[in-house]
Amino acid sequence: MKPICSVQDFNARIKRVLVTKEEIDAAISKAGKEIDKIYDGRPILLVSILKGAFVFMADLCRAVSVPCEIGFMCAKSYYEGTVSTGVVNITMDLDQDISKYHVVIVEDIIDTGRTLSDIVKLLQTRNPLSLHVITLLDKPSRRLVDFKADISLFTIPDHFVIGYGLDCGEHFRNLPYIAEYQEKEGN
Ligand code: IMP
Ligand code: MG
């Protein structure tokens, strides 16, 4: 991917808005209530998968009312621009012993399914009290590994998307909405 050098260059890569800030806010408020209902007052540990899920985590943790702790793991899928190399690597692990927790994994997007499939397998070996997965976005048409989240806020078509935590080449995470990425010739 060529570096972004100007605001014009930045804006030219935002093809169209797929999910607005208002739609995201409404869906997160609903998801918070769903989590409250599932756990019914029991404390939970929300585990955000960095970097992409950091914005979703920040809003989701304020939408739940059950007692909640937060934790972070960093998984790199080694994206080159918009293409996944298929190698998932956990570069930062949790610092909690999850055997004492009801764990909710908080992910930005499920694409091939590889990242979450690997993370769920790993966390299951640590015997959490329970384990659920919530994802902001789901691209089921791209699945290579059979994987389904317990809660999915938006199902989207097979487009590379940016914004609300999701990046292309580390840019666009700060957009308040989800947009389709405009590929540039020569990338
Ligand atoms: P998976 O392992 O293929 O399911 O991909 C999971 C990770 O790849 C996500 O957590 C994202 O960080 C990244 N990813 C997948 N699709 C997109 C996209 O459309 N935009 C930005 N990042 C993506
Ligand atoms: Mg991610």
Side-chain angles (χ1 to χ4, degrees):
M1 182 191 165
K2 287 178 188 158
I4 286 174
C5 305
S6 67
V7 73
Q8 287 85 353
D9 198 9
F10 184 88
N11 290 336
R13 313 277 177 107
I14 303 168
K15 190 170 182 182
R16 67 189 170 109
V17 177
L18 281 184
V19 190
T20 66
K21 182 181 182 306
E22 290 71 25
E23 287 169 330
I24 296 170
D25 289 348
I28 291 180
S29 167
K30 195 168 154 229
K33 290 188 178 78
E34 216 171 320
I35 290 174
D36 286 345
K37 205 168 157 200
I38 294 171
Y39 294 97
D40 193 23
R42 285 172 295 173
I44 59 172
L45 173 66
L46 292 174
V47 175
S48 171
I49 310 302
L50 297 174
K51 294 178 186 173
F54 81 105
V55 181
F56 181 35
M57 170 69 137
D59 285 340
L60 184 69
C61 73
R62 288 175 289 176
V64 298
S65 302
V66 289
C68 144
E69 290 182 41
I70 59 168
F72 296 95
M73 284 179 88
C74 191
K76 279 205 165 41
S77 316
Y78 292 106
Y79 262 69
E80 282 162 5
T82 61
V83 183
S84 169
T85 60
V87 182
V88 181
N89 198 8
I90 290 160
T91 56
M92 188 186 89
D93 206 341
L94 285 167
D95 54 15
Q96 287 96 341
D97 168 9
I98 63 168
S99 66
K100 300 177 180 67
Y101 290 96
H102 292 284
V103 173
V104 182
I105 300 175
V106 180
E107 178 61 307
D108 53 354
I109 186 165
I110 309 178
D111 187 32
T112 64
R114 286 190 188 112
T115 305
L116 276 185
S117 166
D118 284 6
I119 287 176
V120 164
K121 273 187 213 142
L122 175 69
L123 294 191
Q124 290 287 20
T125 66
R126 300 177 188 174
N127 301 314
L129 296 176
S130 67
L131 187 60
H132 283 90
V133 173
I134 179 166
T135 185
L136 176 71
L137 304 169
D138 192 2
K139 275 197 265 187
S141 59
R142 296 249 316 157
R143 214 59 108 244
L144 295 176
V145 173
D146 186 28
F147 190 89
K148 204 170 175 294
D150 299 288
I151 304 175
S152 169
L153 276 55
F154 300 98
T155 299
I156 59 166
D158 180 12
H159 300 308
F160 195 82
V161 293
I162 49 175
Y164 198 75
L166 290 105
D167 75 309
C168 185
E170 292 300 328
H171 283 285
F172 308 102
R173 295 192 194 274
N174 57 322
L175 294 176
Y177 49 79
I178 308 286
E180 185 180 342
Y181 178 73
Q182 174 66 61
E183 291 280 359
K184 240 185 155 186
E185 267 178 45
N187 276 355

